[in-house]
Structure formats: structure tokens, C-alpha cells
Amino acid sequence: MKTIDVLIVGAGAAGMMCAIEAGRRGRSVRVVDHARNPGEKIRISGGGRCNFTNTGTSPANFLGENPRFATSALKRFTQHDFIKRVDRAGIAWHEKTLGQLFCDDSAKQIVRMLTDGMREAGVTLSMGVAVDRISRVDGGFEAAMSDGSVVRAASLVLATGGKSIPKMGATGWAYETARTFGLRITDTRPALVPLTFEPGLLEKLAPLAGLSVEAVVSHRVPADGGAPGRPTGDTKFAEGLLFTHRGLSGPSILQISSYWREGEAITVRMAPDESVYATLKAAKEENGKQMVHTALGHIVPRRLAESVCEREGVKGKLAEVGDKVLRRLDEAVNGWTVKPVGSEGYRTAEVTLGGVATDELDQQTMEAKSVPGLFVIGEAADVTGWLGGYNFQWAWSSGWAAGQVC
């Protein structure tokens, strides 16, 4: 049996960040992960270029029972602090829309920066090693590993993330383990995930599969919220939307999926910067012989224009339709309200909504209030960010916070 200061389970963004900080403090640290390589979600993120943070990160970009819980960690280790580390590592990066930062080259550079940092801090990294059993002993923790080793640690850090992308090895291990120590787990569900439609609607929309548009997608949460801490009122995102063979995807849909629940509707504006009615009315006055779907095809992609006209039963020339029909087309394009039947699930979800309840954790240290020495960081906690680098920043910030004290 070996005795160490800190055992971190999970070699992802949060776990490696925590290990670096704890190691720099002179703590003896071992990181274990059942995966073959560290930072696999980092490697595949951002199309292989890792959207490693967002310049606009603030507590307003996060969901959970208590979205303000993230404030302390985010303020103490900010996006600018992480950018400085990326710069010191000589990693070139660029900014895309909405403050999203990506590596110019490869996400592997971020992984290498973290693994180099762990090595320099004296951290032991054990890949392909799972935790078979863990228990509380003598004020610390004892863990039996799949490689036959047994470790005793004063501090245990749960950093295995959530259930999203199971093919990458994601499981609910952190939740199950936290529960054995008496911590409460909030309801978990796939988030930042494509939404799906029922077969009848899919059949009507089949010709649009693969078509993308810039859109504004909005959703209204009922007044009662339906769940503790769920934000009520209107939420909307203006980003790309993609029609798929299963329903809708694209950044705007992934964003709204974190707020949507089964049985609720979303509203889509597919020409958000234009009054479809006014534009069609002007086109009618200028050239009434123009076919309606042709005129609408100057506002939205032709395939979409044809689909909308077909669904609304509108045919013929502009001169043959009245204002009422033009307003109906306007509503069909910029007020399309639809009820998804579900999502694509954890298979394609980028993150898991929910997790270890934050009222169980100290917001400055990420330590469990009722279990001294137990820390929960990253996606394992009930803190979920928007799409666009926010979840990585939460991993860096929460890992840094725990690493100062574990």
C-alpha cells in the first residue's frame, strides 16, 4: 500500500489542472484514469482545435441549481489567467465569433501543456487504471485499483466528468461515488445536444437535411420552472441552425437544449434580420408574376423556401396571394414553433446537465462540506456552461480552486 497526499480520479481538463496546482504546492499527487490517453475530450473538442475558453466568461453563462456557485472559482482563476498559460506554452490561438478561442494548430497542444505541467510538478499519471473500490479510512481515503495497487490519500478529487459521449469512456462514476459518501446528486440529463422530431414531422422536413441557416432560437421556461434552480422566462440564442435526419442541430439548438425539456416548444426565426412579410410585399409590387417560392428563396435558402410554401399550402405567383398569406409565410419563417420529442442523448451530448449538488460543496475550494478531503470539480459538479469554451473554463477554474487546498 502506498500513501500519498492527493488522489485525483479523472485525467481530463479539470483533473489535470488540479493535479498541476496541487503538485506545485509540494503535494504528492497521483492521477488515475481508465482511458488509454489523458485529455481525450480536449483532443476531440472544437473540431480538433479545442475551444479552450471564452473571453466573455461570467457566471451568467452557467446553469445549475445555483448558477452563482461558479462565481468564486471563475473570478479567482479567469479566462485571462488561462490564456496567459497558453501563451507561455507558445501555443498560437485565434478568436472566432462570440469570444470563442481556438488553437491555431491542434488541441493536442493543450493536452501536452497539461501533461508537461503535471510532469514538472512531480505528478504521477496512471492511465488505463480504474478504481475498483474506494472507502473512507482514518480521516482519509483508501482506493483499490484495477492494476492491483492500493492507495491511501488524505484528499480525493472526483474529476471524471459526466455521462456525455460514452464512447469516450464517460460514465456516471463520479455521481455514484459521491452518493456513497452521502452527497446529493441533482437530476442529470444530456445538454448541448441535438433535438429530435417525431416521424411525421421528420418526413415533411426530410428534404432539408444538411441545410444550415443563421437563426434565432428561443424557448420559454414555465413560471414554475419545473425543477429547482431552473431559470424561468425567455431564453434565446442567435447562432447557426442545422436540419438533420433526426431533427435540428447547430450551435443555436445545442445552446437551447440545455433549457428545453420534453413536452415544451421552441420557436425559430430563420430570417431573423428581415421582415419576410415586408420583403414579399415589396417583391409583389415590383414583380407580381414572380412565383411565391422563388421570392421567398431570395430571403431564405431555396430548399427551405420550397418546404415552407409546401407546408403552408401556398402556390402560384405573388400577384395571386393576399396579405394574409404573406403574413402566414412570415410567421412560418420567423415564428416557427415546434415541439421536439427528445434529444440524441448522451451519445452526442457535449456535456451533462446536473451533477453533485453545489449546496454540498464549498464554492471557494470545491470541497464537500460533510466529507473533509473530498473534492468535486469540473463537469461532475452541478455547473453547466453554454457552448463556446465555457465548460472548459469551468474545468480550469474549478480544478485550480481545488488544487490550492487539496
Side-chain angles (χ1 to χ4, degrees), residues 14 18 69-74 76 156-158 183 356-358 360-383 394-406:
C18 181
F69 174 85
T71 302
S72 177
L74 291 172
R76 290 163 60 222
L156 171 66
V157 183
L158 306 185
L183 303 189
V356 177
T358 52
E360 302 273 9
L361 307 174
D362 183 293
Q363 65 177 344
Q364 289 194 318
T365 65
M366 305 303 295
E367 186 174 16
K369 296 174 182 177
S370 61
V371 188
L374 177 64
F375 297 80
V376 183
I377 60 176
E379 192 182 341
D382 179 23
V383 177
W394 170 243
W396 315 136
S397 296
S398 61
W400 181 91
Q404 306 309 304
V405 294
C406 67

Side-chain angles (χ1 to χ4, degrees), residues 63-113:
L63 295 83
E65 277 189 352
N66 176 17
R68 302 297 301 179
F69 174 85
T71 302
S72 177
L74 291 172
K75 283 188 174 180
R76 290 163 60 222
F77 187 84
T78 70
Q79 59 269 39
H80 308 294
D81 293 320
F82 190 75
I83 292 168
K84 289 176 184 177
R85 296 198 180 194
V86 172
D87 288 340
R88 284 199 297 269
I91 300 173
W93 52 270
H94 59 278
E95 181 175 348
K96 288 191 176 180
T97 58
L98 304 174
Q100 302 170 72
L101 303 190
F102 292 79
C103 298
D104 283 357
D105 186 9
S106 168
K108 293 178 182 178
Q109 293 176 296
I110 299 293
V111 177
R112 192 177 308 116
M113 179 185 79

Side-chain angles (χ1 to χ4, degrees), residues 217-222 231-237 256 259:
V217 180
S218 59
H219 170 262
R220 171 168 289 182
V221 176
T232 58
D234 294 324
T235 302
K236 64 181 179 181
F237 293 96
I256 214 70
Y259 295 82

Side-chain angles (χ1 to χ4, degrees), residues 9 11 38 79 96 124 154 182 192 296 313 375 384:
V9 187
Q79 59 269 39
K96 288 191 176 180
T124 299
L192 300 183
L296 187 57
F375 297 80
T384 304

Side-chain angles (χ1 to χ4, degrees), residues 150-162:
V150 177
V151 176
R152 281 202 176 184
S155 297
L156 171 66
V157 183
L158 306 185
T160 56

